[in-house]
Amino acid sequence: MVSPRSTRFEALEDLIGYRFTSHEHLGKALTHASATRTKDQPTDYERLEFLGDRVLGLCVADLLFRTFPQASEGELSLRLNALVSGDACAEIADALGLHQFIRSGNDLKYLQSKRMKSVRADVLESLIASIFLDGGLDAAHAFVERFWSKRLHHDNAARRDSKTALQEWAHSGGFGTPKYEITGRDGPDHEPVFTVKVILSGCEGATGTGRSKRSAEQEAAEEILIREGVWSEANG
């Protein structure tokens, strides 16, 4: 008799185009800490996320290096940062419908919420780690190339980070230096969600949320840039 667990894994394998020789690491990659955890041996995706983040960075760096042979180090770095960002990973996770495969103590609607975007991004990185551990770097690279290659030429992949862009725009417009204030922190210690407000003299501020203070600041800065027409929403 085929177990629901095996059926779930096979459905994901069909989706990503990779067959695992063992589901040991894949099971952990798809398990959120709210589902189960033992004291001495973590059974969720957190360790795999650490590895997957590095594997993803290497694979994307290689793709960029080969795709843009004339690009400077600065441009390559900007593209890399955009392509491995939490937002980019969450978008790919959502395109795959990855939330359907996550084992969690919460329901699917909760996993689909904006607040859980970082979790979906983390699980995607953990999935990459499980592919790497099962099939090696070539298998992981093939997965990354399949789902990231279309994004390599996106305009926003080469755009500067939003905090730097906002500071330059604010100085040129006489608004002074943006100031960032933490206005909230929710969630457990291992998975905090920060809310940050950016304040500009003579200009309406904005708020952003993120799993780190920096990501929340970036989102707040981006909101002002889009609102003021400095950046287009399509490329935001």
Side-chain angles (χ1 to χ4, degrees):
M1 181 177 180
V2 179
S3 70
R5 176 185 173 94
S6 297
T7 302
R8 179 167 64 105
F9 289 161
E10 290 172 1
L12 179 59
E13 289 173 335
D14 289 340
L15 196 61
I16 65 176
Y18 177 76
R19 292 290 174 188
F20 287 84
T21 58
S22 169
H23 291 151
E24 175 189 359
H25 298 298
L26 179 60
K28 290 183 180 180
L30 299 174
T31 300
H32 186 259
S34 63
T36 179
R37 176 190 288 274
T38 60
K39 184 176 181 180
D40 300 320
Q41 184 63 43
T43 57
D44 58 85
Y45 64 73
E46 291 177 358
R47 277 175 51 83
L48 288 169
E49 176 211 340
F50 167 82
L51 177 60
D53 177 67
R54 276 69 184 174
V55 174
L56 172 62
L58 175 60
C59 293
V60 172
D62 177 62
L63 287 173
L64 289 171
F65 190 82
R66 291 187 289 107
T67 303
F68 301 99
Q70 304 303 319
S72 66
E73 182 274 340
E75 180 184 342
L76 292 174
S77 294
L78 288 171
R79 289 184 179 277
L80 175 67
N81 291 337
L83 289 164
V84 303
S85 69
D87 285 344
C89 289
E91 288 173 6
I92 291 174
D94 291 345
L96 285 169
L98 196 57
H99 67 278
Q100 303 173 71
F101 302 95
I102 301 174
R103 190 160 66 95
S104 168
N106 304 300
D107 62 27
L108 285 178
K109 288 184 179 179
Y110 181 69
L111 287 172
Q112 288 179 275
S113 67
K114 182 178 179 181
R115 178 178 174 180
M116 298 299 286
K117 180 170 67 173
S118 61
V119 169
R120 301 192 298 274
D122 292 346
V123 171
L124 182 67
E125 291 180 336
S126 302
L127 174 61
I128 292 171
S130 69
I131 294 173
F132 170 75
L133 291 171
D134 186 79
L137 185 58
D138 286 346
H141 195 288
F143 173 84
V144 172
E145 185 168 15
R146 178 177 181 182
F147 292 102
W148 266 262
S149 60
K150 292 182 179 180
R151 296 171 171 265
L152 295 179
H153 296 275
H154 285 189
D155 290 341
N156 63 320
R159 192 169 62 188
R160 306 178 68 184
D161 76 81
S162 56
K163 286 185 65 177
T164 300
L166 178 63
Q167 181 166 312
E168 293 183 351
W169 175 79
H171 285 173
S172 65
F175 298 112
T177 300
K179 297 180 179 180
Y180 297 87
E181 295 182 355
I182 299 175
T183 59
R185 173 177 171 158
D186 299 312
D189 289 340
H190 72 279
E191 201 172 274
V193 176
F194 295 92
T195 300
V196 170
K197 181 177 182 180
V198 58
I199 301 171
L200 278 176
S201 177
C203 180
E204 182 183 353
T207 59
T209 60
R211 197 167 171 193
S212 67
K213 296 175 185 178
R214 177 171 176 77
S215 63
E217 291 170 351
Q218 294 279 14
E219 184 173 294
E222 182 177 310
E223 184 170 327
I224 290 182
L225 292 168
I226 292 175
R227 188 189 68 212
E228 299 298 325
V230 184
W231 284 4
S232 67
E233 189 165 6
N235 291 331

